[in-house]
Amino acid sequence: MLVDYSAPVAASPAEAEAAAVSAEQVGYDGFSAAETRHDVFTTLALVARATSRISLQSGIAVAFARNPMTVAVLANDLQLISEGRFRLGLGSQVQPHIERRFAMPWSRPAARMEEFVGALRAIWKSWATGDRLAFRGEFYKHTLMTEFFSPGPNPWGNPPVSLAAVGERMITAAGRVADGLLVHPLTSSAYLGERILPALRSARGNLHGFQLEMSAMVVLGADPQQRARAEEAVRGQIAFYASTPAYRPVLELHGWGELADRLNLLSRRQAWAEMAAEIDDDVLDAFAVSGDPATVAAGLRARFGRVIDRISLYTPYEADRYQMAAVRSALRG
């Protein structure tokens, strides 16, 4: 299992750059940055110039806020800048954000994402071979590429593409067209085994050469006080994710459909403290591993060690970097 470092969600591009340099120095295998307050491609361009070994991933870039051509250009450039270390992670986001924040169309997200990746690969192939670009799909059409605008073949090849998915349709789409799956932090070992893996195997036949990556929620602290603060933050993060209808299937598997409904109603009132209080110990334990570094590492191995190829620690609180490094060492050992 490879161990990656995820940039803090609120980190500026410069802060993410510094974090990546540190992550490379202490021995992490990869570095990922999310697209929340800052552009993920800008952040990773800085990281690519400041590092030399660690792999880099957009975890995730919002596909439907863009189109396949813009993403093809951005990913190709990052692959060049990083000298082959870039991994493209794409996600759909949810309908309100795509329509109301980005003012972009939303329909049949799994089918749209599958076509998006197909268009991306067609564009890259056109650049690599010089063949005429002739992609015509239901959602996207790319039929114009001249020599002036083509960067030509990338000497480092095309970056691998991973898709973030929770629902079975998107998981199936990832199995058909992607090189890997980004498993959402709100994923229990039961959902992984009973929903995700069967859907992938149904789409692919087997998982040979297909990479599963996960950012796993952990409650980590050197003493009970630190762990109590971490636990409070993790309960709040679980409540936030679980309030989103797109993630309801995960809770339904455990018989917590009514909890999802309550959290959704509370989120509309922005009653964040009340939402966190709804996350009892059973729910917390299903989605997070708690304890000191040795206990956390053992718990992650027990839950995901046979399935997940790359893992990072999801800590929606200021985690002690030495504690995190201890988990990394224990996982690698």
Side-chain angles (χ1 to χ4, degrees), residues 250-318:
V250 184
L251 278 79
E252 285 180 334
L253 178 68
H254 293 270
W256 296 327
E258 290 184 3
L259 172 62
D261 295 336
R262 292 198 306 274
L263 290 169
N264 182 256
L265 289 173
L266 288 169
S267 70
R268 297 182 186 187
R269 291 168 30 204
Q270 298 188 5
W272 311 121
E274 293 179 53
M275 289 169 60
E278 291 282 341
I279 305 303
D280 63 23
D281 289 347
D282 288 340
V283 179
L284 177 69
D285 291 342
F287 298 114
V289 179
S290 306
D292 59 25
T295 303
V296 166
L300 292 174
R301 279 199 303 268
R303 293 188 188 192
F304 307 119
R306 294 179 179 272
V307 179
I308 297 297
D309 300 293
R310 307 186 72 110
I311 198 164
S312 60
L313 305 185
Y314 191 102
T315 57
Y317 52 90
E318 190 173 349

Side-chain angles (χ1 to χ4, degrees), residues 186-222:
L186 192 75
T187 298
S188 63
S189 57
Y191 192 78
L192 182 63
E194 297 179 32
R195 294 289 186 272
I196 293 177
L197 294 179
L200 286 175
R201 291 189 177 115
S202 176
R204 295 182 62 85
N206 65 72
L207 299 182
H208 179 70
F210 189 84
Q211 193 162 76
L212 279 91
E213 309 173 43
M214 183 177 189
S215 182
M217 282 194 272
V218 299
V219 176
L220 182 64

Side-chain angles (χ1 to χ4, degrees), residues 8-331:
V9 171
S12 70
E15 290 168 339
E17 178 187 18
V21 169
S22 176
E24 182 172 75
Q25 289 173 345
V26 300
Y28 281 94
D29 298 296
F31 178 87
S32 68
E35 185 162 62
T36 52
R37 302 178 184 179
H38 302 280
D39 178 70
V40 68
F41 294 106
T42 302
T43 295
L44 291 177
L46 290 178
V47 171
R49 294 299 300 270
T51 58
S52 60
R53 177 194 58 80
I54 201 167
S55 71
L56 317 174
Q57 184 179 62
S58 54
I60 52 98
V62 181
F64 298 160
R66 302 174 174 88
N67 61 61
M69 184 62 72
T70 57
V71 172
V73 171
L74 289 164
N76 185 71
D77 283 349
L78 267 173
Q79 184 76 331
L80 283 169
I81 296 168
S82 67
E83 299 183 336
R85 292 181 289 132
F86 179 58
R87 297 176 290 120
L88 177 61
L90 294 174
S92 65
Q93 247 298 346
V94 294
Q95 185 173 0
H97 282 269
I98 297 303
E99 292 183 334
R100 294 165 51 198
R101 182 156 67 100
F102 294 109
M104 294 289 279
W106 174 277
S107 64
R108 298 171 55 212
R112 182 181 287 270
M113 183 67 82
E114 187 167 340
E115 187 175 295
F116 193 107
V117 176
L120 224 113
R121 296 197 191 280
I123 294 165
W124 286 338
K125 182 180 179 182
S126 172
W127 294 345
T129 63
D131 293 345
R132 183 175 180 176
L133 178 59
F135 184 88
R136 293 177 174 85
E138 179 181 354
F139 307 101
Y140 303 103
K141 183 171 73 171
H142 298 278
T143 58
L144 178 62
M145 178 53 59
T146 64
E147 184 178 354
F148 184 79
F149 293 103
S150 171
N154 193 312
W156 305 98
N158 300 322
V161 181
S162 293
L163 297 183
V166 175
E168 291 186 50
R169 289 182 181 179
M170 190 67 80
I171 295 167
T172 300
R176 282 199 288 258
V177 301
D179 303 301
L181 180 76
L182 303 179
V183 179
H184 195 274
L186 192 75
T187 298
S188 63
S189 57
Y191 192 78
L192 182 63
E194 297 179 32
R195 294 289 186 272
I196 293 177
L197 294 179
L200 286 175
R201 291 189 177 115
S202 176
R204 295 182 62 85
N206 65 72
L207 299 182
H208 179 70
F210 189 84
Q211 193 162 76
L212 279 91
E213 309 173 43
M214 183 177 189
S215 182
M217 282 194 272
V218 299
V219 176
L220 182 64
D223 55 55
Q225 286 185 332
Q226 284 187 4
R227 285 197 289 275
R229 288 193 294 270
E231 183 178 298
E232 182 180 3
V234 171
R235 288 184 196 271
Q237 193 65 46
I238 291 172
F240 172 75
Y241 282 137
S243 70
T244 305
Y247 305 140
R248 196 178 196 278
V250 184
L251 278 79
E252 285 180 334
L253 178 68
H254 293 270
W256 296 327
E258 290 184 3
L259 172 62
D261 295 336
R262 292 198 306 274
L263 290 169
N264 182 256
L265 289 173
L266 288 169
S267 70
R268 297 182 186 187
R269 291 168 30 204
Q270 298 188 5
W272 311 121
E274 293 179 53
M275 289 169 60
E278 291 282 341
I279 305 303
D280 63 23
D281 289 347
D282 288 340
V283 179
L284 177 69
D285 291 342
F287 298 114
V289 179
S290 306
D292 59 25
T295 303
V296 166
L300 292 174
R301 279 199 303 268
R303 293 188 188 192
F304 307 119
R306 294 179 179 272
V307 179
I308 297 297
D309 300 293
R310 307 186 72 110
I311 198 164
S312 60
L313 305 185
Y314 191 102
T315 57
Y317 52 90
E318 190 173 349
D320 184 279
R321 62 175 181 168
Y322 298 107
Q323 294 278 303
M324 294 181 69
V327 176
R328 177 191 59 81
S329 296
L331 285 170

